[in-house]
């Protein structure tokens, strides 16, 4: 592992840790969390690493982020909370598995798509790869973690996330849908919005990190 990758590794680890902590703090009647606003910058780190160092180093940084996420989930699974007369893990099994699978597949897809588009207009690769990666991340995470149709985790694990099946107005004002569907849509809207905003720091970081002839 080259020393030059260290800033990317530290940035990815910091984002993953911060997101795992901030996901506990709710916003907008529980539709979002503060972690929703920090996690999407993992795609920025991946794209910068890909543009500056290439797909191989970007994948290594993603894998380190995945390991950090697994460690956070393991720690969270050992923290027990009290509620409604019973004890439960701060990070339920389904949520931990969904988070890990979604992160790894979405980030690796981001690396692949960015690498295929890297020779085009400077903004196309980071925007398209983040768009697809964010959609994959949201779909995989919320489906694995909360969808009632997925029953492989067993009744005990399902009981910990059954609140996500409550029928509520879509995004607080539409027709009735399972709560997790509204959470997923709100999550993806934030991710894609931040992907567009992240084009500004992406351009700035890449311009400083690469020779002028290679930065665009």
């Amino acid at each position: 592992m080259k020393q030059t990758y260290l800033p990317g590794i530290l940035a990815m680890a910091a984002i993953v840790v911060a997101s795992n902590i901030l996901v506990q703090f709710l916003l907008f009647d529980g539709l979002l969390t503060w972690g929703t606003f920090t996690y999407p910058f993992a795609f920025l780190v991946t794209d910068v690493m890909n543009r500056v160092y290439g797909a191989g180093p970007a994948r290594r940084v993603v894998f380190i982020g995945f390991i950090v996420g697994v460690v956070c989930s393991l720690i969270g699974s050992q923290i027990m909370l009290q509620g409604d007369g019973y004890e439960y893990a701060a990070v339920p099994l389904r949520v931990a598995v969904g988070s890990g699978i979604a992160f790894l597949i979405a980030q690796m897809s981001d690396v692949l798509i960015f690498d295929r588009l890297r020779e085009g207009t400077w903004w196309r690769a980071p925007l398209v790869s983040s768009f697809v990666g964010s959609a994959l991340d949201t779909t995989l995470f919320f489906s694995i973690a909360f969808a009632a149709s997925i029953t492989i985790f067993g009744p005990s694990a399902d009981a910990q996330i059954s609140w996500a099946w409550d029928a509520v107005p879509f995004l607080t004002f539409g027709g009735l849908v399972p709560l997790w569907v509204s959470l997923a849509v709100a999550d993806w809207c934030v991710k894609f919005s931040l992907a567009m905003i992240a084009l500004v720091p992406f351009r700035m970081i890449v311009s400083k990190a690469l020779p002028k002839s290679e930065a665009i």
Side-chain angles (χ1 to χ4, degrees):
M1 184 180 301
K2 295 183 179 179
Q3 188 69 23
T4 48
Y5 304 161
L6 186 59
I9 291 169
L10 294 177
M12 180 65 81
I15 290 169
V16 171
V17 172
S19 298
N20 274 273
I21 294 171
L22 293 174
V23 74
Q24 307 296 326
F25 301 95
L26 306 180
L27 294 168
F28 307 114
D29 295 324
L31 272 180
L32 298 170
T33 72
W34 280 110
T36 309
F37 293 89
T38 55
Y39 173 75
F41 288 101
F43 290 100
L44 171 61
V45 174
T46 301
D47 291 345
V48 169
M49 290 297 299
N50 203 337
R51 182 67 184 89
V52 175
Y53 299 111
R59 290 190 186 97
R60 286 193 279 275
V61 169
V62 166
F63 185 70
I64 290 172
F66 171 73
I67 296 300
V68 171
V70 169
V71 171
C72 288
S73 293
L74 289 174
I75 293 172
S77 68
Q78 299 305 307
I79 298 174
M80 304 307 293
L81 304 175
Q82 296 287 337
D84 296 328
Y86 65 94
E87 196 173 53
Y88 59 94
V91 181
L93 174 64
R94 286 189 59 161
V95 173
V97 172
S99 177
I101 291 175
F103 178 88
L104 193 60
I105 292 178
Q107 292 288 335
M108 289 301 186
S109 297
D110 180 283
V111 173
L112 176 63
I113 294 169
F114 187 103
D115 196 48
R116 294 286 178 86
L117 300 176
R118 67 187 307 120
E119 300 302 327
T121 307
W122 73 268
W123 53 264
R124 187 174 65 168
L127 186 61
V128 174
S129 62
S130 294
F131 176 89
V132 175
S134 296
L136 279 173
D137 186 84
T138 296
T139 301
L140 289 170
F141 171 69
F142 282 93
S143 297
I144 295 170
F146 301 120
S149 59
I150 295 179
T151 59
I152 61 173
F153 296 97
S156 177
D158 291 346
Q160 296 183 55
I161 53 86
S162 59
W163 53 267
W165 304 340
D166 294 343
V168 298
F170 178 64
L171 296 178
T172 73
F173 58 82
L176 293 180
V177 297
L179 173 59
W180 72 268
V181 174
S182 285
L183 299 180
V185 172
D187 177 85
W188 185 81
C189 288
V190 171
K191 282 177 181 167
F192 185 58
S193 297
L194 289 178
M196 291 189 287
I197 293 171
L199 289 175
V200 175
F202 173 84
R203 181 72 177 271
M204 294 171 62
I205 296 169
V206 168
S207 295
K208 289 182 178 297
L210 289 176
K212 197 168 185 179
S213 60
E214 299 178 30
I216 305 301

